[in-house]
């Protein structure tokens, strides 16, 4: 009788373990990627090239886009560039400092949502949500000596 109980227990344990394995396999999600396919096309579409083209355009399109002259853009870029630059990794290339500054300026100038800026710059809105505060803090830190306080 003990052999029958042991055999039944073994069958039950094996059946339960098989069900648990199948259940774990069913819960497995599809693999996630570092970037969506839309943002992955950023390698072909380079916002830095767009910024260069806007700067070369004599019609003032760059000033309309960033709400500042290209000279002021370059001045701020040289001041904050080392603070906002990131390293490339094996997984992906870092977002260039020109794009990081342009995204921030565009956000401050227009108030567009991060999702709207995602389509314009082909940078995920999660990345933009980290870029904007980081660049703003770098600008504040770099230009704090140039800001004059107004007495109350």
């Amino acid at each position: 009788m003990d052999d029958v109980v042991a055999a039944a227990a073994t069958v039950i344990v094996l059946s339960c373990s098989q069900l648990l394995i199948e259940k774990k396999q069913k819960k497995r999600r599809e693999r996630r990627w570092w970037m969506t396919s839309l943002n992955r096309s950023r390698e072909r579409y380079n916002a830095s090239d767009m910024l260069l083209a806007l700067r070369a355009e004599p019609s003032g399109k760059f000033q309309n886009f960033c709400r500042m002259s290209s000279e002021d853009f370059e001045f701020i870029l040289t001041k904050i560039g080392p603070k906002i630059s990131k390293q490339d990794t094996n997984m992906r290339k870092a977002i260039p400092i020109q794009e990081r500054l342009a995204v921030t300026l565009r956000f401050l100038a227009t108030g567009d949502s991060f999702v709207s800026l995602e389509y314009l710059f082909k940078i995920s809105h999660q990345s933009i949500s980290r870029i904007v505060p980081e660049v703003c803090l770098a600008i504040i830190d770099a230009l704090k000596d140039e800001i004059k306080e107004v007495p109350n």
Side-chain angles (χ1 to χ4, degrees), residues 6-152:
T10 303
V11 169
I12 291 172
V13 167
L14 289 176
S15 298
C16 287
S17 65
Q18 184 63 31
L19 286 174
L20 289 173
I21 290 171
E22 288 174 8
K23 189 175 182 180
K24 284 183 181 178
Q25 288 175 348
K26 286 181 184 178
K27 282 189 172 182
R28 191 174 207 174
R29 294 182 352 183
E30 286 187 34
R31 293 189 140 212
R32 293 185 52 171
W33 302 102
W34 281 102
M35 292 184 202
T36 63
S37 59
L38 178 67
N39 291 343
R40 202 170 317 130
S41 68
R42 181 174 74 216
E43 294 165 6
R44 290 188 304 269
Y45 163 89
N46 195 343
S48 295
D49 291 342
M50 176 191 68
L51 291 171
L52 284 173
L54 284 173
R55 289 170 95 172
E57 182 70 30
S59 64
K61 298 282 186 189
F62 182 84
Q63 185 153 358
N64 185 37
F65 185 77
C66 289
R67 304 296 201 269
M68 68 172 49
S69 68
S70 95
E71 293 83 19
D72 290 339
F73 183 87
E74 197 61 41
F75 172 76
I76 292 175
L77 194 61
T78 55
K79 288 264 194 185
I80 68 169
K83 294 177 185 174
I84 64 170
S85 66
K86 300 292 180 187
Q87 295 278 330
D88 290 343
T89 66
N90 292 336
M91 301 301 247
R92 61 182 160 220
K93 291 185 180 243
I95 299 167
I97 58 175
Q98 295 89 349
E99 291 180 38
R100 297 170 74 81
L101 179 57
V103 166
T104 303
L105 292 175
R106 189 72 184 164
F107 171 74
L108 294 172
T110 64
D112 282 349
S113 68
F114 292 159
V115 174
S116 176
L117 292 170
E118 174 180 11
Y119 298 122
L120 179 61
F121 286 94
K122 297 205 178 214
I123 299 171
S124 72
H125 65 273
Q126 294 92 343
S127 293
I128 292 173
S129 72
R130 287 189 305 271
I131 289 170
V132 169
E134 181 181 311
V135 172
C136 285
L137 288 174
I139 291 171
I140 290 168
D141 188 47
L143 300 178
K144 66 182 170 195
D145 297 333
E146 316 242 348
I147 298 172
K148 296 179 182 174
E149 291 185 35
V150 179
N152 291 344

